Amino acid sequence: MSDLARLHDPIVAIATAPGRGAVGIVRASGRDLRPLIDALIGAPLKPRHAHYGPLRAADGSAIDHGLALHFPAPHSYTGEDVLELQAHGGPVVLQLLLARCLEAGASIGLRVAEPGEFTQRAFLNDKLDLAQAEAVADLIDASTEAAARSASRSLGGAFSHEVDALAERIVRLRMLVEATLDFPEEEIDFLEKADARGQLSAIASAVQRVLGQARQGALLREGLRVVLAGQPNVGKSSLLNALAGAELAIVTPIAGTTRDRVSETIQIQGVPLHITDTAGLRDDAAASDEVERIGMARSWESIASADAVVFLHDLTRLDEPAYQAADAQISERLRQVDPARLLQVYNKADRTDGSARDGLLLSAKTGAGLDALRQALLERAGWQAAPEGVFIARTRHVQALRRCAEHLALATEHAAQADAQLDLFAEELRLAHQALQQITGRFSADDLLGEIFSRFCIGK
């Protein structure tokens, strides 16, 4: 059976999380669910009203007593007929209900839903655009209050409205440009009379504004990967514990206590920070054993993929020649790291006067300087205090907006030439418009849709 044909199958799934709970939901969606309603309820259901009663097995006995709600098409989440059965949240009860639905729905081809298939149908039936559909998963996965609020705004259409408004402005300009292509002798006059350059400049500025908001939204969703790096026993584990507010990593005076990566996610101003404490860095020849060498290799792997690297120094050992040499070796290797991602931090300020040092001073033991470090990490990420208008966004949204901005920049170059060629101008506007449409799904490859919805949970 082709994937296209499967999209018309009626589907069913347990829509609540695995495990025990007070209430569990089994949800079905399809073009006509009357056979399912007749088999489990035994009577018609008034649309969008909760009906309490027995949810029946094949022999007429009650599997459970609960609520049944029928949402006829098109006034439902998926745009199809939807039936929700709300029962007690025991896993056995829900599995029995699911099995009964599949049995009763065999005549209409009812099958178990794939991950994200309910929301995929909502998208395909124009109940949600692609950005809103993604916001459903982002709201479920939100790790901070700010991320949840931003995902809710995107689900409500805030991001989509911004993108649609930009697309509409580009379309209006495209119409003017393409209509003028049939009158080549009027091309230059057109650019002046219609203020095409002015319109284009205003659109480009608006795209940059939305791009800035999308970057903030992507940061709220994905967080910042921070790696704590430095020599053994400089206080990386103590700093991780101080930032997390919990004893996550073992701390001892013995160098090399941390043999592998230890990670924790915290939040600063609603932004998730995925912090990794790595094994102490030193020359391979100085490593005590193979385990330590493997730990250091993993440390460098984490550093290479980090959004921000905190290079931690020990203020109490800065005058030791061996320590200085080892720090110099690490610094040389860290030259491969983008300076914008590297943060020099000096620890153990409570034990010495390090006021003259070029970098952040702190004490993981007392907590002095931690607020300055938190702020510096947010600045490294490009975070600004979250205004109420921030919407959740994904990396693909940011990339699409960047492509749109690039095409608008090329369009500006064509428009600025003395012998402006409107066909090239029009083509760049078309590509900019297409990039925006990829955000909301009005122009999207099938494989992209499959990748997005496969990451949803089953039942959603």
Side-chain angles (χ1 to χ4, degrees), residues 6 37 41 45 56 143 147 202 426:
R6 286 177 63 83
I37 295 171
I41 312 302
L45 297 175
R56 300 187 183 279
S143 59

Side-chain angles (χ1 to χ4, degrees), residues 224-277:
L224 181 71
R225 293 167 298 170
V226 179
V227 169
L228 308 181
Q231 294 188 55
N233 213 25
V234 296
K236 298 186 298 299
S237 297
S238 296
L239 180 55
L240 173 64
N241 292 341
L243 288 170
E247 295 296 321
L248 303 173
I250 299 172
V251 177
T252 75
I254 303 171
T257 299
T258 302
R259 308 298 290 267
D260 201 356
R261 294 170 290 195
V262 178
S263 299
E264 176 66 9
T265 297
I266 65 172
Q267 62 168 298
I268 302 175
Q269 294 184 21
V271 179
L273 264 67
H274 313 294
I275 302 180
T276 300
D277 172 23

Side-chain angles (χ1 to χ4, degrees), residues 33-45 69-70 81-83:
L33 299 181
R34 283 178 296 181
L36 206 59
I37 295 171
D38 292 342
L40 275 89
I41 312 302
L45 297 175
L69 296 94
H70 180 216
D81 276 4
V82 169
L83 175 66

Side-chain angles (χ1 to χ4, degrees), residues 66-369:
L67 298 178
L69 296 94
H70 180 216
F71 302 89
H75 305 296
S76 69
Y77 178 71
T78 63
E80 303 173 329
D81 276 4
V82 169
L83 175 66
E84 284 196 358
L85 306 175
Q86 300 183 9
H88 293 92
V92 174
V93 173
L94 296 179
Q95 287 295 338
L96 287 172
L97 280 176
L98 178 62
R100 174 59 179 141
C101 287
L102 290 169
E103 177 188 32
S107 62
I108 58 174
L110 184 70
R111 62 173 173 83
V112 175
E114 297 174 358
E117 195 166 3
F118 287 92
T119 303
Q120 183 181 29
R121 293 190 178 197
F123 165 69
L124 294 173
N125 292 325
D126 294 325
K127 305 298 289 187
L128 300 169
D129 65 33
L130 191 54
Q132 289 175 297
E134 289 171 306
V136 173
D138 294 336
L139 184 58
I140 293 170
D141 294 337
S143 59
T144 68
E145 180 182 348
R149 290 182 181 276
S150 297
S152 180
R153 292 188 194 100
S154 287
L155 179 56
F159 186 26
S160 301
H161 293 159
E162 292 276 9
V163 172
D164 288 342
L166 289 172
E168 185 179 347
R169 294 172 69 176
I170 293 176
V171 166
R172 286 200 298 266
L173 186 54
R174 283 184 64 190
M175 290 170 58
L176 288 170
V177 175
E178 293 176 11
T180 310
L181 288 174
D182 294 331
F183 305 96
E185 67 280 359
E186 301 292 336
E187 288 184 0
I188 303 303
D189 289 342
F190 155 76
L191 291 174
E192 301 298 333
K193 293 178 181 178
D195 190 25
R197 296 187 184 92
Q199 290 189 52
L200 182 58
S201 177
I203 293 171
S205 296
V207 168
Q208 289 298 330
R209 176 182 58 80
V210 176
L211 176 57
Q213 289 178 291
R215 287 196 193 102
Q216 302 290 294
L219 189 58
L220 276 179
R221 178 183 181 271
E222 298 165 8
L224 181 71
R225 293 167 298 170
V226 179
V227 169
L228 308 181
Q231 294 188 55
N233 213 25
V234 296
K236 298 186 298 299
S237 297
S238 296
L239 180 55
L240 173 64
N241 292 341
L243 288 170
E247 295 296 321
L248 303 173
I250 299 172
V251 177
T252 75
I254 303 171
T257 299
T258 302
R259 308 298 290 267
D260 201 356
R261 294 170 290 195
V262 178
S263 299
E264 176 66 9
T265 297
I266 65 172
Q267 62 168 298
I268 302 175
Q269 294 184 21
V271 179
L273 264 67
H274 313 294
I275 302 180
T276 300
D277 172 23
T278 59
L281 302 174
R282 52 180 170 176
D283 189 90
D284 284 347
S288 59
D289 53 38
E290 182 63 21
V291 174
E292 185 178 358
R293 281 189 285 272
I294 294 173
M296 288 192 296
R298 291 182 176 179
S299 296
W300 286 112
E301 290 173 3
S302 297
I303 289 170
S305 61
D307 297 311
V309 178
V310 173
F311 186 8
L312 199 61
H313 307 273
D314 184 345
L315 281 169
T316 66
R317 291 190 281 162
L318 290 181
D319 296 330
E320 299 175 7
Y323 181 86
Q324 292 175 356
D327 247 19
Q329 286 183 341
I330 297 172
S331 295
E332 181 63 28
R333 191 162 176 181
L334 283 175
R335 288 182 184 275
Q336 302 172 17
V337 175
D338 181 358
R341 295 194 291 126
L342 190 60
L343 193 61
Q344 303 285 349
V345 178
Y346 294 85
N347 189 27
K348 305 183 184 180
D350 56 307
R351 295 169 56 183
T352 184
D353 179 12
S355 57
R357 298 297 171 188
D358 183 17
L360 284 174
L361 303 179
L362 60 79
S363 169
K365 181 178 180 180
T366 67

